[in-house]
Amino acid sequence: GCMLDGKLYPLGEIARTENCFRCSCSRDAMRCCSLFHTPIGYDKENCKVVFNKKTCDYDVVQKSDPSKECSVYSRV
C-alpha cells in the first residue's frame, strides 16, 4: 500500500483521503490531486475563507457573521 499523512492506503484508486485528495497508489508511487478549489475572487475586506472538511471545499463567509456566505467570483 501507500503511506500518506501517517495513514496506510491500499494499492489502486482512492476516491477520497482524510485530507480531501483523490489518489492513485501503485507499488512505486502515489499520485494525488486535490478535490477542492481555492477561492481567489471574493470580497477580501469583508469575507474570509474557511476549509470545510465535510464537503472537501472552501466556504467563503462574512467576517462579521460566519453563518452568512459571501459571493465567490472565481476559484482555482
Short mmCIF file of all heavy atoms in Angstrom, two decimals:
data_model
loop_
_atom_site.label_atom_id
_atom_site.label_comp_id
_atom_site.label_asym_id
_atom_site.label_seq_id
_atom_site.Cartn_x
_atom_site.Cartn_y
_atom_site.Cartn_z
N GLY A 1 0.82 -1.20 0.00
CA GLY A 1 0.00 0.00 0.00
C GLY A 1 0.86 1.26 0.00
O GLY A 1 2.07 1.19 -0.18
N CYS A 2 0.22 2.39 0.22
CA CYS A 2 0.91 3.68 0.23
C CYS A 2 0.64 4.41 1.54
O CYS A 2 -0.46 4.33 2.08
CB CYS A 2 0.42 4.57 -0.92
SG CYS A 2 0.77 3.91 -2.55
N MET A 3 1.64 5.13 2.03
CA MET A 3 1.50 5.88 3.26
C MET A 3 1.30 7.36 2.93
O MET A 3 2.04 7.92 2.13
CB MET A 3 2.78 5.70 4.09
CG MET A 3 2.61 6.11 5.51
SD MET A 3 1.53 4.98 6.38
CE MET A 3 2.66 4.27 7.51
N LEU A 4 0.27 7.97 3.50
CA LEU A 4 0.02 9.39 3.31
C LEU A 4 -0.45 9.97 4.64
O LEU A 4 -1.42 9.49 5.21
CB LEU A 4 -1.05 9.60 2.23
CG LEU A 4 -1.42 11.05 1.92
CD1 LEU A 4 -0.27 11.76 1.21
CD2 LEU A 4 -2.67 11.14 1.06
N ASP A 5 0.27 10.98 5.12
CA ASP A 5 -0.06 11.63 6.39
C ASP A 5 -0.21 10.62 7.53
O ASP A 5 -1.13 10.70 8.35
CB ASP A 5 -1.34 12.47 6.26
CG ASP A 5 -1.18 13.61 5.28
OD1 ASP A 5 -0.07 14.16 5.20
OD2 ASP A 5 -2.16 13.94 4.59
N GLY A 6 0.66 9.61 7.56
CA GLY A 6 0.65 8.62 8.63
C GLY A 6 -0.43 7.56 8.53
O GLY A 6 -0.61 6.77 9.43
N LYS A 7 -1.15 7.54 7.42
CA LYS A 7 -2.23 6.55 7.24
C LYS A 7 -1.89 5.67 6.04
O LYS A 7 -1.43 6.15 5.02
CB LYS A 7 -3.56 7.28 7.02
CG LYS A 7 -4.72 6.32 7.00
CD LYS A 7 -6.03 7.06 7.06
CE LYS A 7 -7.10 6.08 7.05
NZ LYS A 7 -8.18 5.83 6.72
N LEU A 8 -2.13 4.37 6.18
CA LEU A 8 -1.84 3.42 5.11
C LEU A 8 -3.07 3.25 4.22
O LEU A 8 -4.16 2.98 4.71
CB LEU A 8 -1.42 2.07 5.71
CG LEU A 8 -0.98 1.00 4.72
CD1 LEU A 8 0.29 1.43 3.98
CD2 LEU A 8 -0.74 -0.32 5.44
N TYR A 9 -2.87 3.43 2.92
CA TYR A 9 -3.95 3.25 1.94
C TYR A 9 -3.62 2.06 1.06
O TYR A 9 -2.45 1.78 0.79
CB TYR A 9 -4.10 4.52 1.07
CG TYR A 9 -4.66 5.69 1.84
CD1 TYR A 9 -3.83 6.62 2.44
CD2 TYR A 9 -6.04 5.87 1.98
CE1 TYR A 9 -4.35 7.69 3.16
CE2 TYR A 9 -6.57 6.94 2.68
CZ TYR A 9 -5.72 7.84 3.28
OH TYR A 9 -6.24 8.90 4.00
N PRO A 10 -4.65 1.35 0.56
CA PRO A 10 -4.40 0.18 -0.27
C PRO A 10 -3.94 0.55 -1.68
O PRO A 10 -4.14 1.69 -2.12
CB PRO A 10 -5.77 -0.50 -0.33
CG PRO A 10 -6.75 0.62 -0.15
CD PRO A 10 -6.08 1.60 0.77
N LEU A 11 -3.35 -0.41 -2.38
CA LEU A 11 -2.97 -0.20 -3.79
C LEU A 11 -4.24 0.06 -4.60
O LEU A 11 -5.31 -0.45 -4.27
CB LEU A 11 -2.26 -1.43 -4.34
CG LEU A 11 -0.85 -1.70 -3.81
CD1 LEU A 11 -0.36 -3.05 -4.28
CD2 LEU A 11 0.12 -0.62 -4.22
N GLY A 12 -4.11 0.88 -5.63
CA GLY A 12 -5.25 1.18 -6.50
C GLY A 12 -5.73 2.61 -6.35
O GLY A 12 -5.00 3.49 -5.92
N GLU A 13 -6.98 2.83 -6.71
CA GLU A 13 -7.57 4.16 -6.68
C GLU A 13 -8.18 4.45 -5.31
O GLU A 13 -8.87 3.60 -4.74
CB GLU A 13 -8.66 4.30 -7.74
CG GLU A 13 -8.17 4.15 -9.17
CD GLU A 13 -7.20 5.24 -9.59
OE1 GLU A 13 -7.44 6.41 -9.27
OE2 GLU A 13 -6.19 4.91 -10.23
N ILE A 14 -7.91 5.64 -4.79
CA ILE A 14 -8.51 6.09 -3.54
C ILE A 14 -9.38 7.29 -3.89
O ILE A 14 -8.88 8.33 -4.32
CB ILE A 14 -7.43 6.47 -2.51
CG1 ILE A 14 -6.55 5.25 -2.20
CG2 ILE A 14 -8.06 6.99 -1.23
CD1 ILE A 14 -5.10 5.50 -2.36
N ALA A 15 -10.69 7.14 -3.74
CA ALA A 15 -11.63 8.18 -4.16
C ALA A 15 -11.49 9.45 -3.32
O ALA A 15 -11.59 10.56 -3.84
CB ALA A 15 -13.06 7.68 -4.09
N ARG A 16 -11.21 9.30 -2.01
CA ARG A 16 -11.10 10.47 -1.14
C ARG A 16 -10.33 10.10 0.12
O ARG A 16 -10.73 9.24 0.88
CB ARG A 16 -12.50 10.94 -0.77
CG ARG A 16 -12.51 12.12 0.16
CD ARG A 16 -13.93 12.56 0.44
NE ARG A 16 -13.96 13.36 1.65
CZ ARG A 16 -15.03 13.97 2.11
NH1 ARG A 16 -16.16 13.89 1.46
NH2 ARG A 16 -14.99 14.66 3.22
N THR A 17 -9.20 10.79 0.32
CA THR A 17 -8.42 10.58 1.54
C THR A 17 -9.01 11.45 2.65
O THR A 17 -9.89 12.29 2.41
CB THR A 17 -6.95 10.98 1.34
OG1 THR A 17 -6.85 12.39 1.17
CG2 THR A 17 -6.32 10.25 0.16
N GLU A 18 -8.50 11.27 3.87
CA GLU A 18 -8.95 12.08 5.01
C GLU A 18 -8.76 13.57 4.77
O GLU A 18 -9.50 14.39 5.29
CB GLU A 18 -8.19 11.68 6.27
CG GLU A 18 -8.74 10.45 6.94
CD GLU A 18 -7.97 10.10 8.20
OE1 GLU A 18 -7.24 10.96 8.74
OE2 GLU A 18 -8.10 8.96 8.65
N ASN A 19 -7.72 13.92 4.00
CA ASN A 19 -7.41 15.33 3.76
C ASN A 19 -7.89 15.84 2.41
O ASN A 19 -7.36 16.79 1.87
CB ASN A 19 -5.90 15.57 3.91
CG ASN A 19 -5.45 15.35 5.34
OD1 ASN A 19 -6.19 15.61 6.28
ND2 ASN A 19 -4.25 14.84 5.52
N CYS A 20 -8.91 15.17 1.88
CA CYS A 20 -9.58 15.65 0.67
C CYS A 20 -8.74 15.61 -0.60
O CYS A 20 -8.69 16.57 -1.37
CB CYS A 20 -10.15 17.05 0.90
SG CYS A 20 -11.40 17.09 2.20
N PHE A 21 -8.06 14.51 -0.82
CA PHE A 21 -7.33 14.29 -2.06
C PHE A 21 -7.84 13.01 -2.71
O PHE A 21 -8.30 12.09 -2.02
CB PHE A 21 -5.82 14.16 -1.81
CG PHE A 21 -5.16 15.46 -1.48
CD1 PHE A 21 -5.09 15.92 -0.18
CD2 PHE A 21 -4.61 16.25 -2.49
CE1 PHE A 21 -4.49 17.12 0.12
CE2 PHE A 21 -4.01 17.45 -2.19
CZ PHE A 21 -3.94 17.89 -0.89
N ARG A 22 -7.78 12.95 -4.04
CA ARG A 22 -8.05 11.71 -4.78
C ARG A 22 -6.68 11.18 -5.19
O ARG A 22 -5.88 11.94 -5.75
CB ARG A 22 -8.92 12.00 -6.00
CG ARG A 22 -9.21 10.75 -6.81
CD ARG A 22 -10.15 10.95 -7.99
NE ARG A 22 -10.03 12.25 -8.61
CZ ARG A 22 -11.05 13.12 -8.73
NH1 ARG A 22 -12.23 12.83 -8.28
NH2 ARG A 22 -10.87 14.28 -9.31
N CYS A 23 -6.41 9.92 -4.91
CA CYS A 23 -5.06 9.39 -5.16
C CYS A 23 -5.09 8.09 -5.94
O CYS A 23 -6.09 7.38 -5.96
CB CYS A 23 -4.34 9.15 -3.84
SG CYS A 23 -4.13 10.62 -2.83
N SER A 24 -3.95 7.81 -6.53
CA SER A 24 -3.71 6.54 -7.20
C SER A 24 -2.45 5.98 -6.57
O SER A 24 -1.40 6.61 -6.59
CB SER A 24 -3.52 6.79 -8.69
OG SER A 24 -3.13 5.59 -9.31
N CYS A 25 -2.57 4.79 -5.99
CA CYS A 25 -1.45 4.16 -5.29
C CYS A 25 -0.95 2.96 -6.08
O CYS A 25 -1.71 2.03 -6.32
CB CYS A 25 -1.93 3.75 -3.90
SG CYS A 25 -0.76 2.75 -2.98
N SER A 26 0.31 3.01 -6.48
CA SER A 26 0.92 1.86 -7.16
C SER A 26 2.13 1.40 -6.34
O SER A 26 2.47 2.02 -5.34
CB SER A 26 1.35 2.25 -8.58
OG SER A 26 2.38 3.21 -8.53
N ARG A 27 2.77 0.33 -6.76
CA ARG A 27 3.90 -0.21 -6.00
C ARG A 27 5.05 0.78 -5.87
O ARG A 27 5.77 0.76 -4.88
CB ARG A 27 4.40 -1.49 -6.65
CG ARG A 27 3.41 -2.62 -6.55
CD ARG A 27 4.07 -3.97 -6.78
NE ARG A 27 3.08 -5.03 -6.88
CZ ARG A 27 2.46 -5.56 -5.86
NH1 ARG A 27 2.68 -5.11 -4.66
NH2 ARG A 27 1.58 -6.53 -6.03
N ASP A 28 5.26 1.62 -6.86
CA ASP A 28 6.41 2.51 -6.83
C ASP A 28 6.07 3.98 -6.63
O ASP A 28 6.98 4.79 -6.47
CB ASP A 28 7.23 2.35 -8.13
CG ASP A 28 6.38 2.53 -9.37
OD1 ASP A 28 5.28 1.96 -9.42
OD2 ASP A 28 6.82 3.24 -10.30
N ALA A 29 4.81 4.36 -6.60
CA ALA A 29 4.48 5.78 -6.45
C ALA A 29 3.05 5.99 -5.98
O ALA A 29 2.20 5.12 -6.13
CB ALA A 29 4.70 6.51 -7.77
N MET A 30 2.82 7.18 -5.44
CA MET A 30 1.47 7.60 -5.09
C MET A 30 1.25 8.97 -5.71
O MET A 30 2.04 9.88 -5.48
CB MET A 30 1.30 7.66 -3.58
CG MET A 30 -0.13 7.96 -3.15
SD MET A 30 -0.30 7.72 -1.39
CE MET A 30 -2.07 7.74 -1.21
N ARG A 31 0.21 9.09 -6.51
CA ARG A 31 -0.09 10.37 -7.16
C ARG A 31 -1.43 10.86 -6.65
O ARG A 31 -2.40 10.10 -6.63
CB ARG A 31 -0.12 10.19 -8.67
CG ARG A 31 1.23 9.88 -9.25
CD ARG A 31 1.17 9.73 -10.76
NE ARG A 31 2.50 9.45 -11.29
CZ ARG A 31 3.04 8.24 -11.33
NH1 ARG A 31 2.38 7.20 -10.87
NH2 ARG A 31 4.25 8.06 -11.82
N CYS A 32 -1.47 12.13 -6.26
CA CYS A 32 -2.70 12.69 -5.69
C CYS A 32 -3.04 14.03 -6.33
O CYS A 32 -2.14 14.77 -6.75
CB CYS A 32 -2.53 12.89 -4.19
SG CYS A 32 -2.22 11.38 -3.26
N CYS A 33 -4.33 14.33 -6.35
CA CYS A 33 -4.76 15.68 -6.73
C CYS A 33 -5.87 16.09 -5.77
O CYS A 33 -6.59 15.24 -5.23
CB CYS A 33 -5.20 15.76 -8.19
SG CYS A 33 -6.56 14.69 -8.62
N SER A 34 -5.98 17.37 -5.54
CA SER A 34 -6.94 17.87 -4.56
C SER A 34 -8.37 17.81 -5.10
O SER A 34 -8.60 17.92 -6.30
CB SER A 34 -6.60 19.30 -4.16
OG SER A 34 -6.76 20.16 -5.25
N LEU A 35 -9.32 17.65 -4.20
CA LEU A 35 -10.73 17.65 -4.55
C LEU A 35 -11.36 19.03 -4.35
O LEU A 35 -12.54 19.21 -4.54
CB LEU A 35 -11.48 16.62 -3.68
CG LEU A 35 -11.12 15.16 -3.92
CD1 LEU A 35 -11.72 14.29 -2.83
CD2 LEU A 35 -11.60 14.70 -5.28
N PHE A 36 -10.54 20.00 -3.95
CA PHE A 36 -11.07 21.33 -3.64
C PHE A 36 -10.46 22.39 -4.55
O PHE A 36 -9.42 22.18 -5.13
CB PHE A 36 -10.84 21.69 -2.17
CG PHE A 36 -9.43 21.42 -1.70
CD1 PHE A 36 -8.43 22.37 -1.84
CD2 PHE A 36 -9.10 20.20 -1.12
CE1 PHE A 36 -7.14 22.12 -1.41
CE2 PHE A 36 -7.81 19.93 -0.68
CZ PHE A 36 -6.83 20.90 -0.83
N HIS A 37 -11.15 23.51 -4.67
CA HIS A 37 -10.68 24.64 -5.47
C HIS A 37 -10.58 25.86 -4.56
O HIS A 37 -11.51 26.15 -3.81
CB HIS A 37 -11.64 24.93 -6.62
CG HIS A 37 -11.74 23.79 -7.58
ND1 HIS A 37 -12.71 22.82 -7.46
CD2 HIS A 37 -10.97 23.45 -8.64
CE1 HIS A 37 -12.53 21.94 -8.43
NE2 HIS A 37 -11.50 22.29 -9.15
N THR A 38 -9.46 26.56 -4.64
CA THR A 38 -9.22 27.71 -3.77
C THR A 38 -9.89 28.96 -4.33
O THR A 38 -9.66 29.32 -5.48
CB THR A 38 -7.70 27.96 -3.63
OG1 THR A 38 -7.09 26.73 -3.24
CG2 THR A 38 -7.41 29.03 -2.61
N PRO A 39 -10.73 29.62 -3.52
CA PRO A 39 -11.37 30.85 -3.98
C PRO A 39 -10.35 31.99 -4.07
O PRO A 39 -9.53 32.15 -3.17
CB PRO A 39 -12.41 31.16 -2.91
CG PRO A 39 -12.25 30.16 -1.84
CD PRO A 39 -11.15 29.24 -2.19
N ILE A 40 -10.37 32.72 -5.18
CA ILE A 40 -9.47 33.87 -5.31
C ILE A 40 -10.24 35.16 -5.57
O ILE A 40 -9.77 36.23 -5.24
CB ILE A 40 -8.42 33.65 -6.43
CG1 ILE A 40 -9.09 33.30 -7.75
CG2 ILE A 40 -7.41 32.60 -6.04
CD1 ILE A 40 -8.18 33.39 -8.95
N GLY A 41 -11.43 35.06 -6.14
CA GLY A 41 -12.20 36.27 -6.45
C GLY A 41 -13.36 36.43 -5.49
O GLY A 41 -14.43 35.86 -5.69
N TYR A 42 -13.13 37.15 -4.40
CA TYR A 42 -14.20 37.44 -3.44
C TYR A 42 -13.84 38.72 -2.69
O TYR A 42 -12.74 39.24 -2.83
CB TYR A 42 -14.39 36.26 -2.46
CG TYR A 42 -13.18 35.97 -1.60
CD1 TYR A 42 -13.06 36.52 -0.33
CD2 TYR A 42 -12.16 35.16 -2.05
CE1 TYR A 42 -11.95 36.27 0.46
CE2 TYR A 42 -11.05 34.90 -1.27
CZ TYR A 42 -10.95 35.46 -0.01
OH TYR A 42 -9.85 35.22 0.76
N ASP A 43 -14.75 39.23 -1.90
CA ASP A 43 -14.55 40.47 -1.14
C ASP A 43 -13.62 40.19 0.05
O ASP A 43 -14.07 39.79 1.12
CB ASP A 43 -15.92 40.99 -0.67
CG ASP A 43 -15.81 42.27 0.12
OD1 ASP A 43 -14.69 42.73 0.40
OD2 ASP A 43 -16.87 42.82 0.47
N LYS A 44 -12.31 40.39 -0.16
CA LYS A 44 -11.31 40.04 0.86
C LYS A 44 -11.39 40.95 2.10
O LYS A 44 -10.93 40.58 3.16
CB LYS A 44 -9.91 40.09 0.26
CG LYS A 44 -9.68 38.96 -0.73
CD LYS A 44 -8.30 39.02 -1.34
CE LYS A 44 -8.01 37.84 -2.22
NZ LYS A 44 -8.70 37.81 -3.48
N GLU A 45 -11.98 42.10 1.95
CA GLU A 45 -12.09 43.04 3.08
C GLU A 45 -13.15 42.58 4.09
O GLU A 45 -12.95 42.68 5.29
CB GLU A 45 -12.44 44.43 2.55
CG GLU A 45 -11.95 45.55 3.44
CD GLU A 45 -12.10 46.90 2.77
OE1 GLU A 45 -11.35 47.16 1.80
OE2 GLU A 45 -12.96 47.66 3.21
N ASN A 46 -14.26 42.07 3.59
CA ASN A 46 -15.38 41.71 4.46
C ASN A 46 -15.59 40.21 4.64
O ASN A 46 -16.43 39.80 5.43
CB ASN A 46 -16.67 42.34 3.92
CG ASN A 46 -16.58 43.84 3.91
OD1 ASN A 46 -16.27 44.47 4.91
ND2 ASN A 46 -16.81 44.45 2.75
N CYS A 47 -14.84 39.40 3.88
CA CYS A 47 -15.08 37.96 3.91
C CYS A 47 -13.79 37.19 4.20
O CYS A 47 -12.70 37.70 3.99
CB CYS A 47 -15.63 37.49 2.56
SG CYS A 47 -17.13 38.36 2.09
N LYS A 48 -13.95 35.96 4.69
CA LYS A 48 -12.80 35.10 4.96
C LYS A 48 -13.08 33.71 4.42
O LYS A 48 -14.23 33.31 4.23
CB LYS A 48 -12.48 35.06 6.44
CG LYS A 48 -13.56 34.42 7.30
CD LYS A 48 -13.16 34.40 8.76
CE LYS A 48 -14.27 33.76 9.60
NZ LYS A 48 -13.91 33.65 10.99
N VAL A 49 -11.99 32.96 4.20
CA VAL A 49 -12.08 31.61 3.64
C VAL A 49 -11.90 30.59 4.77
O VAL A 49 -10.99 30.71 5.58
CB VAL A 49 -10.98 31.42 2.56
CG1 VAL A 49 -10.96 30.01 2.05
CG2 VAL A 49 -11.19 32.40 1.43
N VAL A 50 -12.80 29.62 4.82
CA VAL A 50 -12.75 28.57 5.84
C VAL A 50 -12.84 27.23 5.14
O VAL A 50 -13.70 27.04 4.29
CB VAL A 50 -13.95 28.73 6.83
CG1 VAL A 50 -13.90 27.65 7.90
CG2 VAL A 50 -13.98 30.10 7.45
N PHE A 51 -11.93 26.29 5.48
CA PHE A 51 -11.98 24.97 4.84
C PHE A 51 -13.05 24.11 5.49
O PHE A 51 -13.12 24.00 6.70
CB PHE A 51 -10.62 24.28 4.91
CG PHE A 51 -10.56 23.05 4.05
CD1 PHE A 51 -10.55 23.17 2.67
CD2 PHE A 51 -10.55 21.78 4.60
CE1 PHE A 51 -10.51 22.05 1.85
CE2 PHE A 51 -10.51 20.66 3.79
CZ PHE A 51 -10.49 20.80 2.42
N ASN A 52 -13.90 23.49 4.67
CA ASN A 52 -14.98 22.63 5.13
C ASN A 52 -14.59 21.18 4.82
O ASN A 52 -14.65 20.77 3.67
CB ASN A 52 -16.28 23.02 4.42
CG ASN A 52 -17.47 22.23 4.89
OD1 ASN A 52 -17.34 21.11 5.36
ND2 ASN A 52 -18.64 22.81 4.75
N LYS A 53 -14.18 20.44 5.84
CA LYS A 53 -13.69 19.07 5.63
C LYS A 53 -14.81 18.11 5.22
O LYS A 53 -14.56 17.10 4.58
CB LYS A 53 -13.00 18.57 6.90
CG LYS A 53 -11.73 17.85 6.59
CD LYS A 53 -10.93 17.53 7.82
CE LYS A 53 -9.67 16.78 7.40
NZ LYS A 53 -8.84 16.39 8.47
N LYS A 54 -16.06 18.44 5.57
CA LYS A 54 -17.18 17.57 5.20
C LYS A 54 -17.41 17.58 3.70
O LYS A 54 -17.65 16.55 3.08
CB LYS A 54 -18.45 18.05 5.91
CG LYS A 54 -18.88 17.14 7.03
CD LYS A 54 -20.23 17.57 7.56
CE LYS A 54 -20.13 17.61 9.08
NZ LYS A 54 -21.13 18.40 9.72
N THR A 55 -17.36 18.78 3.09
CA THR A 55 -17.62 18.90 1.66
C THR A 55 -16.34 18.89 0.84
O THR A 55 -16.39 18.90 -0.38
CB THR A 55 -18.38 20.20 1.35
OG1 THR A 55 -17.58 21.32 1.74
CG2 THR A 55 -19.71 20.25 2.07
N CYS A 56 -15.18 18.92 1.51
CA CYS A 56 -13.88 18.99 0.82
C CYS A 56 -13.80 20.23 -0.07
O CYS A 56 -13.39 20.16 -1.23
CB CYS A 56 -13.61 17.73 0.00
SG CYS A 56 -12.95 16.39 1.02
N ASP A 57 -14.22 21.35 0.45
CA ASP A 57 -14.13 22.59 -0.32
C ASP A 57 -14.01 23.76 0.65
O ASP A 57 -14.18 23.61 1.86
CB ASP A 57 -15.37 22.77 -1.20
CG ASP A 57 -15.05 23.51 -2.48
OD1 ASP A 57 -13.93 24.06 -2.61
OD2 ASP A 57 -15.92 23.57 -3.36
N TYR A 58 -13.71 24.93 0.10
CA TYR A 58 -13.61 26.13 0.91
C TYR A 58 -14.94 26.86 0.93
O TYR A 58 -15.59 27.00 -0.11
CB TYR A 58 -12.55 27.07 0.33
CG TYR A 58 -11.14 26.60 0.54
CD1 TYR A 58 -10.44 25.97 -0.47
CD2 TYR A 58 -10.50 26.80 1.76
CE1 TYR A 58 -9.13 25.54 -0.28
CE2 TYR A 58 -9.20 26.37 1.95
CZ TYR A 58 -8.52 25.75 0.94
OH TYR A 58 -7.23 25.32 1.14
N ASP A 59 -15.35 27.30 2.10
CA ASP A 59 -16.52 28.17 2.23
C ASP A 59 -16.00 29.59 2.39
O ASP A 59 -15.01 29.83 3.08
CB ASP A 59 -17.34 27.80 3.47
CG ASP A 59 -17.98 26.41 3.37
OD1 ASP A 59 -18.20 25.95 2.23
OD2 ASP A 59 -18.25 25.82 4.42
N VAL A 60 -16.65 30.53 1.74
CA VAL A 60 -16.30 31.94 1.90
C VAL A 60 -17.44 32.59 2.67
O VAL A 60 -18.58 32.60 2.22
CB VAL A 60 -16.08 32.63 0.53
CG1 VAL A 60 -15.68 34.08 0.73
CG2 VAL A 60 -15.00 31.90 -0.26
N VAL A 61 -17.12 33.07 3.88
CA VAL A 61 -18.14 33.60 4.77
C VAL A 61 -17.81 35.02 5.22
O VAL A 61 -16.66 35.46 5.13
CB VAL A 61 -18.31 32.70 6.02
CG1 VAL A 61 -18.83 31.33 5.63
CG2 VAL A 61 -17.01 32.59 6.80
N GLN A 62 -18.83 35.73 5.71
CA GLN A 62 -18.63 37.10 6.19
C GLN A 62 -17.82 37.07 7.48
O GLN A 62 -18.07 36.24 8.35
CB GLN A 62 -19.98 37.77 6.43
CG GLN A 62 -20.75 38.03 5.16
CD GLN A 62 -22.08 38.73 5.42
OE1 GLN A 62 -22.35 39.19 6.53
NE2 GLN A 62 -22.91 38.80 4.40
N LYS A 63 -16.87 38.00 7.59
CA LYS A 63 -16.06 38.09 8.81
C LYS A 63 -16.95 38.46 10.00
O LYS A 63 -16.76 37.95 11.10
CB LYS A 63 -14.96 39.14 8.65
CG LYS A 63 -13.81 38.69 7.76
CD LYS A 63 -12.78 39.77 7.64
CE LYS A 63 -11.65 39.37 6.70
NZ LYS A 63 -10.69 40.44 6.47
N SER A 64 -17.90 39.34 9.79
CA SER A 64 -18.76 39.81 10.87
C SER A 64 -19.80 38.77 11.30
O SER A 64 -20.24 38.74 12.45
CB SER A 64 -19.47 41.10 10.46
OG SER A 64 -20.25 40.87 9.30
N ASP A 65 -20.20 37.88 10.36
CA ASP A 65 -21.20 36.86 10.67
C ASP A 65 -20.89 35.60 9.84
O ASP A 65 -21.39 35.45 8.73
CB ASP A 65 -22.60 37.38 10.36
CG ASP A 65 -23.69 36.38 10.74
OD1 ASP A 65 -23.36 35.26 11.18
OD2 ASP A 65 -24.88 36.72 10.61
N PRO A 66 -20.06 34.69 10.38
CA PRO A 66 -19.64 33.50 9.63
C PRO A 66 -20.78 32.56 9.21
O PRO A 66 -20.56 31.65 8.42
CB PRO A 66 -18.69 32.78 10.60
CG PRO A 66 -18.23 33.84 11.54
CD PRO A 66 -19.38 34.80 11.67
N SER A 67 -21.99 32.80 9.69
CA SER A 67 -23.11 31.96 9.25
C SER A 67 -23.63 32.39 7.89
O SER A 67 -24.42 31.69 7.26
CB SER A 67 -24.24 31.99 10.28
OG SER A 67 -24.84 33.28 10.30
N LYS A 68 -23.19 33.57 7.41
CA LYS A 68 -23.62 34.08 6.10
C LYS A 68 -22.51 33.92 5.08
O LYS A 68 -21.37 34.27 5.34
CB LYS A 68 -24.02 35.55 6.21
CG LYS A 68 -25.27 35.77 7.04
CD LYS A 68 -25.66 37.21 7.04
CE LYS A 68 -26.92 37.41 7.89
NZ LYS A 68 -27.05 38.77 8.35
N GLU A 69 -22.88 33.39 3.91
CA GLU A 69 -21.89 33.18 2.84
C GLU A 69 -21.66 34.45 2.04
O GLU A 69 -22.52 35.32 1.97
CB GLU A 69 -22.35 32.06 1.91
CG GLU A 69 -22.18 30.70 2.51
CD GLU A 69 -22.35 29.59 1.49
OE1 GLU A 69 -22.12 29.84 0.29
OE2 GLU A 69 -22.71 28.48 1.90
N CYS A 70 -20.49 34.52 1.43
CA CYS A 70 -20.15 35.63 0.53
C CYS A 70 -20.16 35.10 -0.91
O CYS A 70 -20.00 33.91 -1.15
CB CYS A 70 -18.75 36.15 0.82
SG CYS A 70 -18.60 36.96 2.41
N SER A 71 -20.31 36.00 -1.85
CA SER A 71 -20.24 35.63 -3.26
C SER A 71 -18.78 35.37 -3.65
O SER A 71 -17.88 36.08 -3.23
CB SER A 71 -20.78 36.76 -4.14
OG SER A 71 -22.14 36.95 -3.86
N VAL A 72 -18.59 34.32 -4.45
CA VAL A 72 -17.25 33.99 -4.96
C VAL A 72 -17.31 34.17 -6.47
O VAL A 72 -18.18 33.62 -7.13
CB VAL A 72 -16.85 32.56 -4.58
CG1 VAL A 72 -15.50 32.22 -5.17
CG2 VAL A 72 -16.84 32.38 -3.09
N TYR A 73 -16.37 34.95 -7.02
CA TYR A 73 -16.37 35.23 -8.44
C TYR A 73 -15.51 34.23 -9.21
O TYR A 73 -15.79 33.92 -10.36
CB TYR A 73 -15.85 36.64 -8.71
CG TYR A 73 -16.50 37.68 -7.80
CD1 TYR A 73 -15.75 38.37 -6.87
CD2 TYR A 73 -17.86 37.92 -7.86
CE1 TYR A 73 -16.34 39.30 -6.02
CE2 TYR A 73 -18.47 38.85 -7.01
CZ TYR A 73 -17.69 39.53 -6.09
OH TYR A 73 -18.28 40.43 -5.25
N SER A 74 -14.46 33.71 -8.58
CA SER A 74 -13.62 32.72 -9.28
C SER A 74 -12.85 31.86 -8.29
O SER A 74 -12.56 32.27 -7.18
CB SER A 74 -12.65 33.42 -10.23
OG SER A 74 -11.78 34.27 -9.52
N ARG A 75 -12.53 30.64 -8.75
CA ARG A 75 -11.77 29.68 -7.96
C ARG A 75 -10.68 29.05 -8.84
O ARG A 75 -10.84 28.96 -10.04
CB ARG A 75 -12.68 28.53 -7.46
CG ARG A 75 -13.71 28.96 -6.44
CD ARG A 75 -14.60 27.78 -6.07
NE ARG A 75 -15.67 28.16 -5.15
CZ ARG A 75 -15.63 27.97 -3.83
NH1 ARG A 75 -14.60 27.42 -3.28
NH2 ARG A 75 -16.63 28.35 -3.06
N VAL A 76 -9.59 28.63 -8.19
CA VAL A 76 -8.52 27.92 -8.93
C VAL A 76 -8.24 26.59 -8.27
O VAL A 76 -8.48 26.41 -7.11
CB VAL A 76 -7.21 28.74 -9.02
CG1 VAL A 76 -7.39 29.94 -9.89
CG2 VAL A 76 -6.71 29.11 -7.65
#
